mmCIF file of all heavy atoms in Angstrom:
data_model
loop_
_atom_site.group_PDB
_atom_site.id
_atom_site.type_symbol
_atom_site.label_atom_id
_atom_site.label_comp_id
_atom_site.label_asym_id
_atom_site.label_seq_id
_atom_site.Cartn_x
_atom_site.Cartn_y
_atom_site.Cartn_z
ATOM 1 N N ASP A 1 -21.154 16.476 11.483
ATOM 2 C CA ASP A 1 -22.516 16.025 11.698
ATOM 3 C C ASP A 1 -23.296 17.110 12.423
ATOM 4 O O ASP A 1 -22.740 18.122 12.857
ATOM 5 C CB ASP A 1 -22.580 14.694 12.464
ATOM 6 C CG ASP A 1 -21.734 14.679 13.734
ATOM 7 O OD1 ASP A 1 -21.287 15.756 14.150
ATOM 8 O OD2 ASP A 1 -21.520 13.595 14.295
ATOM 9 N N CYS A 2 -24.594 16.904 12.523
ATOM 10 C CA CYS A 2 -25.468 17.887 13.149
ATOM 11 C C CYS A 2 -26.637 17.127 13.772
ATOM 12 O O CYS A 2 -27.004 16.043 13.308
ATOM 13 C CB CYS A 2 -25.964 18.894 12.112
ATOM 14 S SG CYS A 2 -26.953 20.248 12.805
ATOM 15 N N PHE A 3 -27.211 17.686 14.828
ATOM 16 C CA PHE A 3 -28.279 17.015 15.554
ATOM 17 C C PHE A 3 -29.485 17.937 15.663
ATOM 18 O O PHE A 3 -29.342 19.143 15.830
ATOM 19 C CB PHE A 3 -27.808 16.599 16.942
ATOM 20 C CG PHE A 3 -26.672 15.621 16.925
ATOM 21 C CD1 PHE A 3 -25.360 16.067 16.756
ATOM 22 C CD2 PHE A 3 -26.892 14.268 17.062
ATOM 23 C CE1 PHE A 3 -24.301 15.174 16.730
ATOM 24 C CE2 PHE A 3 -25.838 13.364 17.039
ATOM 25 C CZ PHE A 3 -24.546 13.819 16.868
ATOM 26 N N VAL A 4 -30.662 17.340 15.578
ATOM 27 C CA VAL A 4 -31.908 18.102 15.702
ATOM 28 C C VAL A 4 -32.802 17.413 16.721
ATOM 29 O O VAL A 4 -33.229 16.269 16.515
ATOM 30 C CB VAL A 4 -32.648 18.213 14.352
ATOM 31 C CG1 VAL A 4 -33.895 19.093 14.518
ATOM 32 C CG2 VAL A 4 -31.734 18.777 13.274
ATOM 33 N N LEU A 5 -33.061 18.092 17.824
ATOM 34 C CA LEU A 5 -33.963 17.561 18.846
ATOM 35 C C LEU A 5 -35.414 17.766 18.425
ATOM 36 O O LEU A 5 -35.793 18.838 17.930
ATOM 37 C CB LEU A 5 -33.731 18.275 20.174
ATOM 38 C CG LEU A 5 -32.634 17.750 21.094
ATOM 39 C CD1 LEU A 5 -32.511 18.648 22.315
ATOM 40 C CD2 LEU A 5 -32.899 16.327 21.517
ATOM 41 N N ILE A 6 -36.228 16.725 18.606
ATOM 42 C CA ILE A 6 -37.655 16.827 18.341
ATOM 43 C C ILE A 6 -38.348 17.177 19.651
ATOM 44 O O ILE A 6 -38.363 16.390 20.597
ATOM 45 C CB ILE A 6 -38.217 15.502 17.802
ATOM 46 C CG1 ILE A 6 -37.380 15.023 16.603
ATOM 47 C CG2 ILE A 6 -39.679 15.655 17.422
ATOM 48 C CD1 ILE A 6 -37.406 15.936 15.414
ATOM 49 N N LYS A 7 -38.913 18.371 19.724
ATOM 50 C CA LYS A 7 -39.544 18.847 20.952
ATOM 51 C C LYS A 7 -41.031 19.122 20.747
ATOM 52 O O LYS A 7 -41.516 19.165 19.614
ATOM 53 C CB LYS A 7 -38.855 20.124 21.446
ATOM 54 C CG LYS A 7 -37.427 19.933 21.935
ATOM 55 C CD LYS A 7 -36.880 21.239 22.494
ATOM 56 C CE LYS A 7 -35.526 21.047 23.148
ATOM 57 N NZ LYS A 7 -35.014 22.317 23.736
ATOM 58 N N GLN A 8 -41.717 19.323 21.847
ATOM 59 C CA GLN A 8 -43.124 19.710 21.819
ATOM 60 C C GLN A 8 -43.274 21.033 22.548
ATOM 61 O O GLN A 8 -42.823 21.170 23.684
ATOM 62 C CB GLN A 8 -43.999 18.644 22.481
ATOM 63 C CG GLN A 8 -43.918 17.273 21.841
ATOM 64 C CD GLN A 8 -44.417 17.267 20.409
ATOM 65 O OE1 GLN A 8 -45.402 17.947 20.088
ATOM 66 N NE2 GLN A 8 -43.759 16.521 19.539
ATOM 67 N N GLY A 9 -43.875 22.010 21.874
ATOM 68 C CA GLY A 9 -44.062 23.327 22.465
ATOM 69 C C GLY A 9 -45.528 23.610 22.756
ATOM 70 O O GLY A 9 -46.399 22.755 22.575
ATOM 71 N N LYS A 10 -45.790 24.823 23.183
ATOM 72 C CA LYS A 10 -47.163 25.227 23.493
ATOM 73 C C LYS A 10 -47.925 25.534 22.206
ATOM 74 O O LYS A 10 -47.371 26.019 21.237
ATOM 75 C CB LYS A 10 -47.156 26.458 24.407
ATOM 76 C CG LYS A 10 -46.575 26.194 25.794
ATOM 77 C CD LYS A 10 -46.642 27.448 26.648
ATOM 78 C CE LYS A 10 -46.074 27.177 28.038
ATOM 79 N NZ LYS A 10 -46.120 28.389 28.892
ATOM 80 N N THR A 11 -49.210 25.248 22.234
ATOM 81 C CA THR A 11 -50.072 25.552 21.093
ATOM 82 C C THR A 11 -50.932 26.770 21.392
ATOM 83 O O THR A 11 -51.146 27.135 22.551
ATOM 84 C CB THR A 11 -50.980 24.353 20.764
ATOM 85 O OG1 THR A 11 -51.811 24.065 21.903
ATOM 86 C CG2 THR A 11 -50.143 23.118 20.447
ATOM 87 N N THR A 12 -51.411 27.399 20.333
ATOM 88 C CA THR A 12 -52.310 28.543 20.447
ATOM 89 C C THR A 12 -53.464 28.338 19.469
ATOM 90 O O THR A 12 -53.387 27.486 18.574
ATOM 91 C CB THR A 12 -51.581 29.855 20.106
ATOM 92 O OG1 THR A 12 -51.219 29.838 18.712
ATOM 93 C CG2 THR A 12 -50.312 30.022 20.946
ATOM 94 N N PRO A 13 -54.537 29.103 19.600
ATOM 95 C CA PRO A 13 -55.650 28.966 18.650
ATOM 96 C C PRO A 13 -55.222 29.201 17.199
ATOM 97 O O PRO A 13 -55.776 28.595 16.282
ATOM 98 C CB PRO A 13 -56.639 30.036 19.123
ATOM 99 C CG PRO A 13 -56.363 30.182 20.579
ATOM 100 C CD PRO A 13 -54.884 30.006 20.717
ATOM 101 N N LEU A 14 -54.229 30.068 17.000
ATOM 102 C CA LEU A 14 -53.769 30.349 15.640
ATOM 103 C C LEU A 14 -52.651 29.412 15.203
ATOM 104 O O LEU A 14 -52.325 29.373 14.011
ATOM 105 C CB LEU A 14 -53.296 31.801 15.540
ATOM 106 C CG LEU A 14 -54.363 32.865 15.742
ATOM 107 C CD1 LEU A 14 -53.750 34.260 15.640
ATOM 108 C CD2 LEU A 14 -55.488 32.711 14.709
ATOM 109 N N MET A 15 -52.044 28.701 16.146
ATOM 110 C CA MET A 15 -50.981 27.757 15.805
ATOM 111 C C MET A 15 -51.200 26.481 16.614
ATOM 112 O O MET A 15 -50.677 26.332 17.718
ATOM 113 C CB MET A 15 -49.606 28.370 16.083
ATOM 114 C CG MET A 15 -48.447 27.455 15.694
ATOM 115 S SD MET A 15 -48.616 26.685 14.061
ATOM 116 C CE MET A 15 -48.667 28.145 13.016
ATOM 117 N N PRO A 16 -52.015 25.556 16.085
ATOM 118 C CA PRO A 16 -52.396 24.368 16.857
ATOM 119 C C PRO A 16 -51.368 23.236 16.833
ATOM 120 O O PRO A 16 -51.655 22.150 17.327
ATOM 121 C CB PRO A 16 -53.686 23.922 16.159
ATOM 122 C CG PRO A 16 -53.506 24.364 14.744
ATOM 123 C CD PRO A 16 -52.714 25.642 14.792
ATOM 124 N N TYR A 17 -50.172 23.485 16.273
ATOM 125 C CA TYR A 17 -49.192 22.415 16.135
ATOM 126 C C TYR A 17 -48.064 22.604 17.156
ATOM 127 O O TYR A 17 -47.495 23.684 17.288
ATOM 128 C CB TYR A 17 -48.625 22.392 14.714
ATOM 129 C CG TYR A 17 -49.720 22.451 13.683
ATOM 130 C CD1 TYR A 17 -49.900 23.573 12.886
ATOM 131 C CD2 TYR A 17 -50.610 21.388 13.543
ATOM 132 C CE1 TYR A 17 -50.923 23.641 11.966
ATOM 133 C CE2 TYR A 17 -51.635 21.444 12.630
ATOM 134 C CZ TYR A 17 -51.797 22.568 11.835
ATOM 135 O OH TYR A 17 -52.817 22.630 10.936
ATOM 136 N N SER A 18 -47.733 21.528 17.862
ATOM 137 C CA SER A 18 -46.765 21.622 18.954
ATOM 138 C C SER A 18 -45.354 21.214 18.555
ATOM 139 O O SER A 18 -44.422 21.402 19.340
ATOM 140 C CB SER A 18 -47.229 20.748 20.124
ATOM 141 O OG SER A 18 -47.314 19.386 19.722
ATOM 142 N N LEU A 19 -45.168 20.659 17.364
ATOM 143 C CA LEU A 19 -43.843 20.181 16.949
ATOM 144 C C LEU A 19 -42.844 21.330 16.863
ATOM 145 O O LEU A 19 -43.098 22.352 16.240
ATOM 146 C CB LEU A 19 -43.941 19.495 15.582
ATOM 147 C CG LEU A 19 -42.622 19.022 14.964
ATOM 148 C CD1 LEU A 19 -41.979 17.936 15.820
ATOM 149 C CD2 LEU A 19 -42.842 18.515 13.547
ATOM 150 N N ARG A 20 -41.677 21.153 17.513
ATOM 151 C CA ARG A 20 -40.597 22.137 17.462
ATOM 152 C C ARG A 20 -39.284 21.419 17.157
ATOM 153 O O ARG A 20 -39.053 20.299 17.616
ATOM 154 C CB ARG A 20 -40.460 22.872 18.814
ATOM 155 C CG ARG A 20 -41.710 23.576 19.269
ATOM 156 C CD ARG A 20 -42.053 24.801 18.421
ATOM 157 N NE ARG A 20 -43.176 25.518 18.979
ATOM 158 C CZ ARG A 20 -44.457 25.265 18.677
ATOM 159 N NH1 ARG A 20 -44.750 24.305 17.824
ATOM 160 N NH2 ARG A 20 -45.434 25.971 19.231
ATOM 161 N N LEU A 21 -38.419 22.095 16.409
ATOM 162 C CA LEU A 21 -37.108 21.553 16.056
ATOM 163 C C LEU A 21 -36.026 22.395 16.713
ATOM 164 O O LEU A 21 -36.042 23.619 16.619
ATOM 165 C CB LEU A 21 -36.921 21.564 14.536
ATOM 166 C CG LEU A 21 -37.988 20.844 13.718
ATOM 167 C CD1 LEU A 21 -37.707 20.992 12.230
ATOM 168 C CD2 LEU A 21 -38.079 19.378 14.100
ATOM 169 N N HIS A 22 -35.091 21.733 17.388
ATOM 170 C CA HIS A 22 -33.999 22.423 18.071
ATOM 171 C C HIS A 22 -32.682 21.907 17.509
ATOM 172 O O HIS A 22 -32.275 20.781 17.797
ATOM 173 C CB HIS A 22 -34.073 22.169 19.576
ATOM 174 C CG HIS A 22 -33.088 22.953 20.370
ATOM 175 N ND1 HIS A 22 -33.106 23.016 21.749
ATOM 176 C CD2 HIS A 22 -32.027 23.724 19.994
ATOM 177 C CE1 HIS A 22 -32.116 23.780 22.177
ATOM 178 N NE2 HIS A 22 -31.438 24.211 21.127
ATOM 179 N N VAL A 23 -32.020 22.730 16.698
ATOM 180 C CA VAL A 23 -30.748 22.345 16.076
ATOM 181 C C VAL A 23 -29.631 22.486 17.096
ATOM 182 O O VAL A 23 -29.500 23.527 17.751
ATOM 183 C CB VAL A 23 -30.462 23.211 14.839
ATOM 184 C CG1 VAL A 23 -29.167 22.754 14.160
ATOM 185 C CG2 VAL A 23 -31.621 23.146 13.855
ATOM 186 N N ILE A 24 -28.815 21.434 17.233
ATOM 187 C CA ILE A 24 -27.755 21.404 18.237
ATOM 188 C C ILE A 24 -26.402 21.260 17.558
ATOM 189 O O ILE A 24 -26.236 20.449 16.638
ATOM 190 C CB ILE A 24 -27.964 20.231 19.218
ATOM 191 C CG1 ILE A 24 -29.248 20.456 20.019
ATOM 192 C CG2 ILE A 24 -26.790 20.080 20.163
ATOM 193 C CD1 ILE A 24 -29.530 19.354 21.000
ATOM 194 N N GLU A 25 -25.432 22.059 18.011
ATOM 195 C CA GLU A 25 -24.065 21.972 17.506
ATOM 196 C C GLU A 25 -23.467 20.605 17.812
ATOM 197 O O GLU A 25 -23.746 20.002 18.850
ATOM 198 C CB GLU A 25 -23.226 23.058 18.177
ATOM 199 C CG GLU A 25 -21.865 23.271 17.543
ATOM 200 C CD GLU A 25 -21.901 24.327 16.466
ATOM 201 O OE1 GLU A 25 -22.153 23.965 15.302
ATOM 202 O OE2 GLU A 25 -21.674 25.499 16.781
ATOM 203 N N ALA A 26 -22.626 20.108 16.896
ATOM 204 C CA ALA A 26 -22.035 18.776 17.044
ATOM 205 C C ALA A 26 -21.246 18.641 18.342
ATOM 206 O O ALA A 26 -21.216 17.556 18.949
ATOM 207 C CB ALA A 26 -21.131 18.479 15.849
ATOM 208 N N ASP A 27 -20.626 19.721 18.824
ATOM 209 C CA ASP A 27 -19.789 19.671 20.020
ATOM 210 C C ASP A 27 -20.575 19.343 21.289
ATOM 211 O O ASP A 27 -20.010 18.857 22.263
ATOM 212 C CB ASP A 27 -19.078 21.009 20.230
ATOM 213 C CG ASP A 27 -18.392 21.490 18.971
ATOM 214 O OD1 ASP A 27 -19.105 21.858 18.007
ATOM 215 O OD2 ASP A 27 -17.164 21.499 18.925
ATOM 216 N N ARG A 28 -21.870 19.623 21.282
ATOM 217 C CA ARG A 28 -22.663 19.402 22.493
ATOM 218 C C ARG A 28 -23.059 17.941 22.678
ATOM 219 O O ARG A 28 -23.531 17.566 23.748
ATOM 220 C CB ARG A 28 -23.915 20.285 22.466
ATOM 221 C CG ARG A 28 -23.609 21.768 22.678
ATOM 222 C CD ARG A 28 -24.887 22.577 22.773
ATOM 223 N NE ARG A 28 -25.736 22.104 23.858
ATOM 224 C CZ ARG A 28 -27.013 22.463 23.996
ATOM 225 N NH1 ARG A 28 -27.580 23.272 23.110
ATOM 226 N NH2 ARG A 28 -27.726 22.000 25.013
ATOM 227 N N ILE A 29 -22.886 17.126 21.662
ATOM 228 C CA ILE A 29 -23.102 15.687 21.805
ATOM 229 C C ILE A 29 -21.749 15.069 22.133
ATOM 230 O O ILE A 29 -20.846 15.029 21.309
ATOM 231 C CB ILE A 29 -23.663 15.068 20.509
ATOM 232 C CG1 ILE A 29 -24.913 15.819 20.066
ATOM 233 C CG2 ILE A 29 -23.937 13.585 20.714
ATOM 234 C CD1 ILE A 29 -26.066 15.744 21.037
#
């Protein structure tokens, strides 16, 4: 299995979207 954390990052004028994906190894859960 695999896990993906849904995070919010900083936005910029050229990138106004804050959604970030953080893929986590199965062993860390």
Side-chain angles (χ1 to χ4, degrees):
D1 50 12
C2 185
F3 298 82
V4 184
L5 274 177
I6 308 297
K7 292 184 173 182
Q8 301 297 321
K10 294 182 179 180
T11 61
T12 66
L14 295 179
M15 182 46 61
Y17 312 111
S18 61
L19 176 64
R20 302 290 186 271
L21 304 177
H22 186 171
V23 183
I24 295 180
E25 192 91 271
D27 310 69
R28 288 185 58 193
I29 306 297

